[in-house]
């Protein structure tokens, strides 16, 4: 019963009209020849694959789940393996990967847009190639030439898939206390022994081989995070031809029975002296793993953009068709027994909240995708450094703010359907269950908040935040002389000034009491999130106003809707920032003065 249509019109608006990606990519030699027509063609074909191949399997995967067959064997739901074969055949996993290893070399921003559609269609299925992309990033950055030759080509082609194995039963966020051991074997390889839990796509039947990137300790490793190394541990050891050979001593011990994402195998992985090779330098594994982790955090943000979009589409369609009660201002469909529920103010609030959040998240995440392209490929070192700082600053916001809002959006979508939303066949309750994990894995959203405030903002005395502030002001400068834009620019500028004051206040208090950072972190992240979304809606409204001033597009309802949604955002969602700032300023006293015995 649920449906999904790739939102190509809004994607084109963000890429071509708001971000001007064709112009921006001309500054990057590797992408200078990519035009709007090429981008649109990729997204149209990618959208067709997602809507026609992946989406029909979404409820199937949720209903069947993965099956543990015993002796480490896991099978995926009906149709998943065939869909993966089509994915590999179409080269979709290679979109943004290095041509040296068989990739198509397209910009990351285009890969981000495709990821959104994949996750709208089927988040659980999309996690299989998503983990491979993270493994690719880590090996591309830190692998030896030999490791790259053996593993990257297979990961790019999709013949092999990847995982990241961090978490242990006693060690989640605090990786410094992990116990998995790596014993040198005397031939340059290591025997990896230990158990990892919550390993997404840890075992399955989609690919010929699975490449695990595993954090472990050498015998003489120092305690804490400075004693962690990273290892490649393949399910099958590559033979002399680079094909799967001897079975390695790594097996799935069981799969988790979860609230959502049933179609993805979340595994307990047992390493029993499995043969591994080190990635990067000894005791420096966390540096390499964070390349993968940051990729995963950005990917989780895209998961929530995708889920919010598909949930919005289905709740909107229902609201237009479901007849219940009459409008408070009088009947709208006099020939019907009742009016469609979209006439009711609070139904519109729920729909517009979803619309405002998902469209701002799309603009923000694509903007970040373009920044990643500049970070890695721009010929100017200063531009690369500036964009690296922006990506580092905003990664926890993408992961934290977008996933919070994505969950709220899916619950609002379910609420629009009322009782039908709670029933499985309509699909909305699955979106709610699937969306809930996005706020937890790859670092909980509280961890993202601590990372943002403690490391990314206060850690460099606000330098990255000030750099981002200048970038936003520069981007909105063309709209500054438009009188009609002041209704949007004024609250945006006010919030930016308030964030500067708030940051200084928290920094001063934190020098006396570090708990002040922990107490303020979560409302601070949401405040920064609203600053970012205010920026996104200012840009969207400015572009739309210019289009409506052009006789050729003066009556286009798309641009009228952009401005109307921007007005809704600033009227109904932006005001949350004032309450968040008050919470952040309230400090730690009300939290930490509460004696543990009083709970």
């Amino acid at each position: 019963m649920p449906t999904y249509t790739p939102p190509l019109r809004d994607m084109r608006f963000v890429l071509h009209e708001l971000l001007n990606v064709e112009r921006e990519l001309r500054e990057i030699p590797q992408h200078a020849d990519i035009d709007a027509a090429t981008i649109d063609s990729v997204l149209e074909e990618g959208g067709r694959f997602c809507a026609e191949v992946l989406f029909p399997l979404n409820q199937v995967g949720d209903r069947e789940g993965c099956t543990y067959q015993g002796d480490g064997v896991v099978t995926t739901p009906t149709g998943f393996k065939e869909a993966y074969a089509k994915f590999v055949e179409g080269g979709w996993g290679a979109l943004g990967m290095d041509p040296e290893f068989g990739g198509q070399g397209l910009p990351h921003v285009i890969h981000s847009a495709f990821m959104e559609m994949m996750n709208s269609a089927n988040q659980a299925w999309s996690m299989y190639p998503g983990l491979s992309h993270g493994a690719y990033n880590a090996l591309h950055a830190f692998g030896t030439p030999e490791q790259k030759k053996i593993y990257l080509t297979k990961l790019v082609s999709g013949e092999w898939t990847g995982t990241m194995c961090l978490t242990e039963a006693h060690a989640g966020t605090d990786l410094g206390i992990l116990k998995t051991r790596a014993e040198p074997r005397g031939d340059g390889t290591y025997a990896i022994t230990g158990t990892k839990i919550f390993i997404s796509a840890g075992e399955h039947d989609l690919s010929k081989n699975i490449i695990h990137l595993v954090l472990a300790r050498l015998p003489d490793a120092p305690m804490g995070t400075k004693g962690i190394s990273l290892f490649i541990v393949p399910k099958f050891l590559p033979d002399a031809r680079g094909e799967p050979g001897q079975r390695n001593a790594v097996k799935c011990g069981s799969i988790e029975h979860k609230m959502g994402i049933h179609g993805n195998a979340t595994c307990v992985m047992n390493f029993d002296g499995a043969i591994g090779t080190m990635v990067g330098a000894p005791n420096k594994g966390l540096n390499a793993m964070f390349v993968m982790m940051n990729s995963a955090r950005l990917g989780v943000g895209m998961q929530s953009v995708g889920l919010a979009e598909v949930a919005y589409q289905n709740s909107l369609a229902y609201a237009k068709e479901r007849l219940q009660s009459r409008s408070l201002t009088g009947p709208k469909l006099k020939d019907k027994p009742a009016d469609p529920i979209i006439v009711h103010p609070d139904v519109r609030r729920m729909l517009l909240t979803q619309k405002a959040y998902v469209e701002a998240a799309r603009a923000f995440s694509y903007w970040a995708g373009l920044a990643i392209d500049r970070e890695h490929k721009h010929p100017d070192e200063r531009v690369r450094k500036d964009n690296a700082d922006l990506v580092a600053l905003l990664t926890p916001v993408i992961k934290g703010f977008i996933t919070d809002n994505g969950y709220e959006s899916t619950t609002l979508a379910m609420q629009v359907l009322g009782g039908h939303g709670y029933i499985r066949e309509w699909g909305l309750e699955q979106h709610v269950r699937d969306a809930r994990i996005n706020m937890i894995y790859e670092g909980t959203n509280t961890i993202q908040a601590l990372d943002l405030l403690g490391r990314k903002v206060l850690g460099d005395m606000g330098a990255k935040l000030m750099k981002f502030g200048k970038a936003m002001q520069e981007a909105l400068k063309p709209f500054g002389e438009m009188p009609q834009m002041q209704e949007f620019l004024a609250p945006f500028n006010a919030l930016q000034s308030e964030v500067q004051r708030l940051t200084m206040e928290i920094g001063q208090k934190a020098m006396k009491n570090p708990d002040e950072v922990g107490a303020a972190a979560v409302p601070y992240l949401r405040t920064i999130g609203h600053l970012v979304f205010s920026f996104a809606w200012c840009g969207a409204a400015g572009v739309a106003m210019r289009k409506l001033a052009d006789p050729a597009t003066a009556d286009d309802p798309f641009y009228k809707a952009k401005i109307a949604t921007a007005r809704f955002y600033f009227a109904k969602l932006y005001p949350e920032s004032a309450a968040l700032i008050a919470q952040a300023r309230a400090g730690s006293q009300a939290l930490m003065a509460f004696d543990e015995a009083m709970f």
Side-chain angles (χ1 to χ4, degrees), residues 542-576:
V543 171
M545 284 182 175
R546 286 184 170 176
K547 290 292 186 178
L548 292 174
D550 183 342
T553 50
D555 295 322
D556 193 327
F558 177 87
Y559 299 114
K560 293 178 180 179
K562 278 292 176 189
I563 294 173
T565 309
R567 287 191 174 120
F568 169 83
Y569 171 80
F570 279 103
K572 296 292 187 178
L573 302 180
Y574 168 93
E576 182 195 15

Side-chain angles (χ1 to χ4, degrees), residues 206-287:
L206 303 187
S207 62
K208 297 178 181 178
N209 203 359
I210 302 174
I211 310 307
H212 304 287
L213 293 190
V214 184
L215 291 181
R217 290 188 178 283
L218 296 170
D220 58 350
M223 295 300 294
T225 57
K226 294 182 179 180
I228 298 174
S229 300
L230 181 64
F231 300 87
I232 301 172
V233 184
K235 176 180 176 180
F236 293 99
L237 297 168
D239 62 18
R241 298 176 297 111
E243 295 300 323
Q246 177 187 344
R247 182 70 159 87
N248 208 352
V250 51
K251 282 189 177 182
C252 173
S254 64
I255 58 175
E256 304 292 352
H257 303 283
K258 312 182 296 289
M259 175 180 177
I261 55 169
H262 294 159
N264 192 267
T266 305
C267 302
V268 174
M269 300 301 300
N270 296 319
F271 298 85
D272 187 14
I275 297 174
T277 55
M278 187 179 293
V279 179
N283 303 323
K284 301 294 183 182
L286 215 54
N287 295 336

Side-chain angles (χ1 to χ4, degrees), residues 166-180 195-197 217:
L166 291 75
T167 306
E168 299 177 7
H170 62 285
T173 297
D174 189 0
L175 292 172
I177 60 174
L178 66 82
K179 297 179 180 178
T180 300
T195 297
K196 300 288 185 176
I197 66 169
R217 290 188 178 283

Side-chain angles (χ1 to χ4, degrees), residues 56-71:
L57 299 176
N58 192 45
Q59 288 188 300
V60 174
D62 184 62
R63 184 170 60 250
E64 293 184 9
C66 293
T67 304
Y68 182 72
Q69 304 285 1
D71 195 31

Side-chain angles (χ1 to χ4, degrees), residues 451-511:
D451 180 43
L452 172 68
L453 180 55
R455 293 178 182 172
K456 305 299 174 56
V457 175
L458 299 181
D460 65 1
M461 305 298 289
K464 292 184 184 69
L465 184 62
M466 287 187 285
K467 187 176 291 187
F468 180 52
K470 291 178 181 178
M472 289 190 292
Q473 291 292 340
E474 186 65 25
L476 296 178
K477 191 174 182 181
F479 307 124
E481 297 181 0
M482 298 169 60
Q484 64 271 39
M485 275 293 294
Q486 292 312 304
E487 67 172 301
F488 307 122
L489 291 173
F492 163 73
N493 289 327
L495 183 55
Q496 187 171 11
S497 297
E498 195 65 20
V499 163
Q500 292 172 349
R501 286 191 291 271
L502 176 65
T503 304
M504 291 180 62
E505 291 173 19
I506 296 172
Q508 290 171 353
K509 291 194 292 184
M511 287 189 287

Side-chain angles (χ1 to χ4, degrees), residues 39 151 167 178 180 183 200 232 235 262 289 319 379 402 416 436 446 505 515-516 520 550 579:
I39 293 170
Y151 295 106
T167 306
L178 66 82
T180 300
E183 297 281 348
S200 300
I232 301 172
K235 176 180 176 180
H262 294 159
M289 182 57 82
I402 290 181
V416 169
R436 190 61 185 85
T446 298
E505 291 173 19
D515 275 339
E516 293 294 331
D550 183 342

